[in-house]
Amino acid sequence: MIVLSGPSGAGKSTILRRLLETYPDRLRLSVSATTRSPRSGEVDGVDYYFLTSTEFARRREAGEFLECFEVFGRGHWYGTLLAEVTPSRNAGKTVVLDIDVDGAARVLSRFADVLTIFLRPSSMEELERRLRARGTETEEAIQRRLEVARRELERAHQYQFQVVNDTVEHAVDQISEILTKQGIVK
Ligand code: ADP
Ligand code: 5GP
C-alpha cells in the first residue's frame, strides 16, 4: 500500500493520474468516499464515490471504512472504504491512497507494510496560486484549505519520503524513482 498526502492543491491528483497511466499493471487507486459535491469533470466511482451525508453515516456505522475523517471541518467527510484495499479487488497491484495526514496516521496504525510519500508545493504562495487557478473552491474554502495546509506541512517529516511538486515531470520522475527502488514498479 502507498499513502500519498500533501496539502489540497499541491498536485496529488495530477501526479497520481500520471503515475497510474505509467504503471497501469502495478498500481491501483483507492477511490475514496466523500460527502463534498463533485467538481466539474469529476466522475462518481472514478474520482470519488459521492455520497449523501446520510449514506456516509450509514456506511460508517456499518464499519465499512478503514478510516474516515471530516478533513476541512464544515461537515465534509472523506473516507477510505475497506472494500477498496482488499487483496481480491487489487489482484497483485499496489493500492495508492490519496488521503490527509490524519487518515494516513490511522492507516499506519492498522497496516505495517505502507510506503508513505508527502507531496509538497514549492511554496505557500505557489500553493495559493494553484488553488485559485484550479477555480473549484470558494474564497472561504480556499482560506480553510490554506490554514489546514500549514498544519499538514508541519507533519510532513512523519512521512518516509517528501517530494516537491515544482514541475509535474520532475515530481513524477522522483516518485517513479522511489517506487523503483522499493521494488514496486520496474
Ligand atoms: P490536489 O489533488 O493535491 O488537491 P491538483 O492535482 O488538483 O491538487 O492540483 C491543483 C492545481 O494545480 C490543478 O489546477 C493542477 O492542474 C495544478 N498543478 C498541479 N501540479 C502543478 C505543477 N507542477 N505546476 C503547476 N501547476 C500544477
Ligand atoms: P479534495 O476535496 O481536494 O478532493 O480533497 C481534499 C483532501 O481530502 C485531500 O487532502 C485528500 O488527500 C483528502 N482525502 C481524500 N480522500 C480521503 C480519504 O479517504 N480519507 C482521508 N482521511 N482523507 C482523504
Side-chain angles (χ1 to χ4, degrees):
M1 205 181 279
I2 300 170
V3 165
L4 179 73
S5 300
S8 175
K12 300 178 300 295
S13 317
T14 306
I15 303 288
L16 273 178
R17 210 172 301 127
R18 291 280 290 269
L19 287 167
L20 292 162
E21 279 165 17
T22 311
Y23 306 109
D25 303 335
R26 301 302 313 144
L27 304 178
R28 185 184 168 280
L29 182 69
S30 158
V31 180
S32 293
T34 184
T35 62
R36 81 149 164 79
S37 313
R39 292 178 188 138
S40 116
E42 282 185 332
V43 178
D44 186 38
V46 176
D47 298 288
Y48 280 104
Y49 298 108
F50 294 100
L51 305 182
T52 61
S53 300
T54 312
E55 177 62 8
F56 197 105
R58 187 193 68 72
R59 292 193 185 207
R60 189 178 174 206
E61 274 148 36
E64 289 185 26
F65 287 106
L66 164 59
E67 59 80 35
C68 63
F69 199 63
E70 196 180 1
V71 176
F72 300 113
R74 314 281 200 280
H76 284 323
W77 283 79
Y78 294 81
T80 308
L81 291 158
L82 274 167
E84 287 291 305
V85 300
T86 54
S88 59
R89 171 142 195 172
N90 296 302
K93 293 185 189 175
T94 300
V95 187
V96 189
L97 278 59
D98 168 352
I99 61 176
D100 86 311
V101 287
D102 289 297
R106 248 160 290 163
V107 169
L108 283 172
S109 71
R110 290 185 67 172
F111 291 88
D113 194 14
V114 184
L115 174 71
T116 58
I117 303 175
F118 191 93
L119 190 69
R120 306 179 68 99
S122 24
S123 65
M124 279 303 287
E125 291 70 30
E126 177 61 14
L127 181 68
E128 185 164 354
R129 201 194 62 72
R130 284 183 198 170
L131 269 176
R132 288 188 193 288
R134 192 167 69 186
T136 51
E137 260 73 37
T138 61
E139 182 58 32
E140 195 211 352
I142 290 174
Q143 292 307 330
R144 180 92 188 105
R145 280 164 191 254
L146 290 172
E147 202 181 295
V148 171
R150 287 189 191 91
R151 290 206 298 273
E152 291 193 310
L153 285 164
E154 283 168 14
R155 292 166 69 185
H157 66 274
Q158 296 170 356
Y159 287 69
Q160 288 163 284
F161 297 94
Q162 292 191 42
V163 171
V164 178
N165 179 16
D166 38 14
T167 67
V168 173
E169 287 67 31
H170 190 217
V172 168
D173 284 352
Q174 282 188 76
I175 296 180
S176 295
E177 196 181 315
I178 294 167
L179 300 188
T180 306
K181 282 195 179 144
Q182 300 290 319
I184 294 170
V185 301
K186 288 193 195 104

